[in-house]
Amino acid sequence: MRVWLRHSRSAIALGAVALMVAACSSSASDSPNGSSGASSSDESSSAETSSPAGASAAGLEQVTVQVPDDLRAAPFDAPRTARVPQGWTLSVWARTPKPRLLAWTPDGALLVSVPSTGEVLRMQPTGAGPQEDVLLSGLDQPHGMAFAGSTLYVAESDQVDAYDYADGRATNPRTVAAGLPDARSPDLRGAYSHALKSVAVGPDGAVYFSIGSTGNVSAEDRTATPPRATIMRIPPGGGPAAPFATGVRNGTGLAVAPDGTVWTAVNNRDNVAFPEEGPQYGQVVPDYVDENPPESLAKVTPGRELGWPYCNPSGGPANLAFIRDVQTNADGTKLDCAALPPVEQSFGAHSAPLGLGFVDGQLPAPYAAGALAGVHGSWNREPPRAPEVSFFPWRDGGLGDQQTLIGGFQGDDGSRWGRPVAAVVSPDRAVYVSDDYADAIYRLSPP
């Protein structure tokens, strides 16, 4: 039985004033810092490695992350440093177990989805630190959240629900998309790698949500009911959901841009075979797999085809062409990869981009307009792709190349202390970042 309620609870050490980061020590003007790459599987899971796609718009400097005394449980029982834009500050704002995606409410509270507990938390900023309540509980792996006015949409593993939001409460639940696949679906028999779903609402009221693939290569997803590896669309005013984009292996990042277009950040496949003629053709070559295929950041248009599992993006960082997957489409008859429109932008292979959102004028230049993406970092690459928060500048209706907004979560030996999931801009014009590895919410403040 599902229960919708709101009550106070004692969270992990919430109640401290969020302190600013002292911009300290090494003023390292960060040269491009890799868009780290996590496994293409966002639900799997450290030295920061450079990526040709990564860069810093205005130079980064190393700072000590400031942590209130009562939030100093591991990994903050030891000093931690990060790289942020020069003059910006970073602090631990809250601690809570396994936070995932974020959304700001109309009344200025931060919603945090926690799939592992079936809850959506509401964190109300106060002078003494955030006050945490449980807004919704008893849900099935709630993940994506989006507002359309006072209507809150929440994507669970098996359905998308809408609520009326007012006075810090979510009421009148109704299901707008049901029967979505998860591990309990009879035809999947408990095997489903990408159950977490995201949701976004277009300016016309259409609702978009992601359905991830069953696994790394599972072509049967394309003919399933409903089809998996898709971005689905519910028409304005309601109605049955229908595929809007296909061949989207795991479009966990899903957001609406300033011009009303829909974008997705995609976790592409692992262990792709070497595609060029020669002695290594058709073999899984580690050096090739480490850099291929890039993760896609694509504009989602009606009927868009992103190729999986028959075509893989190649090249980049921008305008990536598709090439045949020689394991699944050796003769090119499954799908004509050369006919697919190029992918607009990309992350390094195995970056595992998760949360995606847009900023439109709330931050100072050069970060005033663009996309923010939480990069979870690789699980299957050597050296590992590093976690980070990435920024893609918005230019003339498209996105420029990837830049690092927050880096330094990974040491030179590949060990990690944090893995960002999502980044959103707050009403007070700061960036709030969830981290399900450090069990933390960070606040990044411009000067």
Side-chain angles (χ1 to χ4, degrees):
M1 171 179 177
R2 298 186 179 183
V3 181
W4 285 270
L5 68 149
R6 176 178 179 264
H7 62 80
S8 293
R9 75 173 188 180
S10 33
I12 299 178
L14 296 175
V17 179
L19 300 178
M20 299 292 108
V21 171
C24 64
S25 60
S26 49
S27 154
S29 174
D30 237 45
S31 53
N33 177 23
S35 125
S36 309
S39 138
S40 295
S41 176
D42 73 316
E43 290 151 56
S44 335
S45 178
S46 313
E48 209 154 33
T49 61
S50 288
S51 157
S56 151
L60 304 183
E61 62 184 354
Q62 185 168 305
V63 300
T64 298
V65 180
Q66 295 300 301
V67 187
D69 288 343
D70 55 349
L71 303 184
R72 290 185 179 276
F76 303 106
D77 51 348
R80 301 297 177 184
T81 61
R83 291 199 295 280
V84 302
Q86 292 179 4
W88 294 46
T89 57
L90 185 69
S91 60
V92 175
W93 184 69
R95 303 294 305 278
T96 199
K98 299 188 182 309
R100 291 287 289 190
L101 298 191
L102 306 173
W104 286 96
T105 67
D107 58 359
L110 181 64
L111 299 188
V112 182
S113 67
V114 188
S116 61
T117 63
E119 295 175 320
V120 173
L121 308 179
R122 180 181 183 274
M123 295 187 175
Q124 179 68 54
T126 71
Q131 175 185 339
E132 181 186 303
D133 298 318
V134 176
L135 179 73
L136 297 167
S137 68
L139 307 186
D140 295 317
Q141 294 182 283
H143 195 236
M145 302 169 294
F147 276 94
S150 60
T151 301
L152 168 64
Y153 293 89
V154 178
E156 301 183 56
S157 65
D158 60 342
Q159 63 189 44
V160 178
D161 297 318
Y163 303 83
D164 296 330
Y165 181 88
D167 302 321
R169 301 178 63 242
T171 59
N172 187 27
R174 59 266 187 204
T175 299
V176 297
L180 306 184
D182 65 9
R184 297 165 302 173
S185 300
D187 58 326
L188 297 178
R189 298 182 296 279
Y192 191 38
S193 297
H194 302 129
L196 301 185
K197 296 170 175 65
S198 297
V199 64
V201 183
D204 62 352
V207 177
Y208 301 85
F209 60 92
S210 62
I211 300 181
S213 68
T214 303
N216 185 38
V217 180
S218 41
E220 62 274 15
D221 289 337
R222 296 179 64 103
T223 55
T225 304
R228 301 184 283 269
T230 57
I231 303 298
M232 304 289 286
R233 179 181 183 269
I234 301 170
F244 191 67
T246 54
V248 186
R249 181 180 175 273
N250 193 18
T252 303
L254 188 62
V256 177
D259 66 351
T261 54
V262 181
W263 290 72
T264 184
V266 185
N267 289 238
N268 282 322
R269 64 159 294 186
D270 299 317
N271 296 321
V272 64
F274 192 76
E276 299 175 15
E277 295 297 334
Q280 294 181 314
Y281 176 81
Q283 298 181 26
V284 176
V285 180
D287 287 348
Y288 181 78
V289 169
D290 280 351
E291 302 300 334
N292 293 278
E295 312 278 48
S296 302
L297 179 54
K299 183 188 296 186
V300 182
T301 53
R304 180 82 191 260
E305 172 60 59
L306 289 178
W308 178 90
Y310 302 126
C311 307
N312 300 308
S314 179
N319 299 316
L320 293 80
F322 284 93
I323 62 174
R324 287 180 299 113
D325 188 306
V326 300
Q327 291 166 311
T328 62
N329 189 23
D331 60 5
T333 59
K334 297 289 189 180
L335 191 61
D336 183 357
C337 304
L340 300 181
V343 174
E344 287 79 0
Q345 268 296 345
S346 68
F347 306 80
H350 316 295
S351 291
L354 299 183
L356 179 69
F358 284 85
V359 54
D360 188 18
Q362 301 96 322
L363 298 177
Y367 304 103
L372 296 173
V375 171
H376 216 213
S378 64
W379 65 273
N380 62 341
R381 184 185 187 277
E382 289 299 332
R385 293 280 186 197
E388 68 168 56
V389 175
S390 296
F391 175 79
F392 294 80
W394 182 254
R395 296 171 182 158
D396 302 321
L399 291 174
D401 293 349
Q402 179 188 17
Q403 302 163 4
T404 299
L405 183 67
I406 310 175
F409 296 95
Q410 182 166 288
D412 291 341
D413 61 355
S415 62
R416 295 169 174 154
W417 59 267
R419 300 185 75 184
V421 176
V424 295
V425 180
S426 67
D428 65 351
R429 296 175 181 261
V431 180
Y432 286 69
V433 179
S434 58
D435 183 330
D436 64 353
Y437 189 76
D439 295 336
I441 308 289
Y442 309 111
R443 185 176 190 270
L444 175 70
S445 305

